[in-house]
Amino acid sequence: MSTDKKLDKNELAALVASDIAPGSFVNLGIGQPTLVSNYLVPEQKVTLHTENGMLGMGPEAHGDEVDPDLINAGKIPVTELPGAAYFHHADSFAIMRGGHLDVCVLGAFQVSATGDLANWHTGAPDAIPAVGGAMDLATGAKDVYVMMSLFTRDGVSKLVKECSYPLTGVGCVTRVYTNEAVFLLKEDGVHVRETFGTTFEELASKMDIPLIRAADGS
């Protein structure tokens, strides 16, 4: 699929939500990924986990729905779904580290062509590192999806041959969702599943990694 414009954050979140398999247990990282909760539908029966100790999280809370004690890991007010459960922080991390999550959706500074993830520190002297539970999610989830803008403000691709920033996880990312394309990271290389506001050829000319055109969208 190709569209005539780049996706905004909400359109990208809706796309990620539609790609999550029914019945999955999912964690949404801080930043863009939190928007995914607003586009999951009941028919998917997706159970959201948040690392501060909750299963069964619903969409973001607004207006009278806001409970200051009910927040996700990014301190955003959220709702709860029927059957929601709360537990100790240590139990929450046991879920993450124990391989019980089918998918986690994370933001990133960089992702390598082989699936390495850098999302906790740019290495800049004045930057404040904040790994949180990202390393636990990156190594514990069965699939790691990344949501990010494809290029920096300077036009440099964040999907790179090798990460130059400190790594969060090695070989863990399976899909990269960006405002300009969806990439599938496979053993034989980086497949472009679909593009938005650009073409395969334009992407290939701006990125310093070989790209493979996905023949069947999978």
Side-chain angles (χ1 to χ4, degrees):
M1 184 183 79
S2 179
T3 65
D4 59 2
K5 68 180 184 67
K6 299 176 185 178
L7 300 188
D8 64 28
K9 293 179 181 180
N10 287 290
E11 290 169 331
L12 190 59
L15 176 60
V16 175
S18 69
D19 278 353
I20 294 175
S24 296
F25 287 82
V26 179
N27 181 287
L28 304 177
I30 296 170
Q32 285 192 46
T34 60
L35 296 173
V36 173
S37 67
N38 297 331
Y39 297 96
L40 294 167
V41 296
E43 292 76 18
Q44 287 176 277
K45 296 182 179 179
V46 168
T47 302
L48 292 180
H49 164 274
T50 176
E51 67 191 61
N52 51 323
M54 181 181 180
L55 269 179
M57 182 180 75
E60 292 179 18
H62 300 280
D64 293 339
E65 295 177 328
V66 173
D67 178 344
D69 292 324
L70 190 58
I71 58 175
N72 63 20
K75 299 183 176 61
I76 296 173
V78 294
T79 56
E80 59 182 1
L81 299 180
Y86 308 95
F87 32 82
H88 193 279
H89 208 182
D91 294 326
S92 184
F93 271 71
I95 291 173
M96 294 155 57
R97 295 170 180 170
H100 304 291
L101 296 175
D102 297 299
V103 176
C104 72
V105 186
L106 299 172
F109 296 130
Q110 288 179 331
V111 177
S112 79
T114 55
D116 297 342
L117 171 66
N119 78 341
W120 70 279
H121 193 20
T122 63
D126 58 345
I128 300 174
V131 68
M135 60 183 178
D136 305 274
L137 290 166
T139 58
K142 296 171 186 174
D143 270 311
V144 177
Y145 298 170
V146 162
M147 282 179 69
M148 66 180 187
S149 56
L150 181 54
F151 297 99
T152 67
R153 294 178 181 178
D154 297 327
V156 178
S157 175
K158 298 180 185 178
L159 184 53
V160 296
K161 184 177 180 180
E162 294 182 0
C163 294
S164 59
Y165 295 150
L167 294 184
T168 308
V170 175
C172 56
V173 179
T174 53
R175 297 186 186 184
V176 179
Y177 291 83
T178 78
N179 54 332
E180 298 194 36
V182 175
F183 302 90
L184 309 179
L185 307 189
K186 301 185 177 184
E187 290 186 2
D188 63 340
V190 179
H191 293 242
V192 180
R193 191 183 77 176
E194 53 196 305
T195 61
F196 317 114
T198 188
T199 65
F200 177 89
E201 291 75 16
E202 288 171 340
L203 285 178
S205 69
K206 294 189 291 184
M207 299 176 65
D208 193 28
I209 55 173
L211 300 178
I212 302 170
R213 195 192 305 267
D216 58 1
S218 62

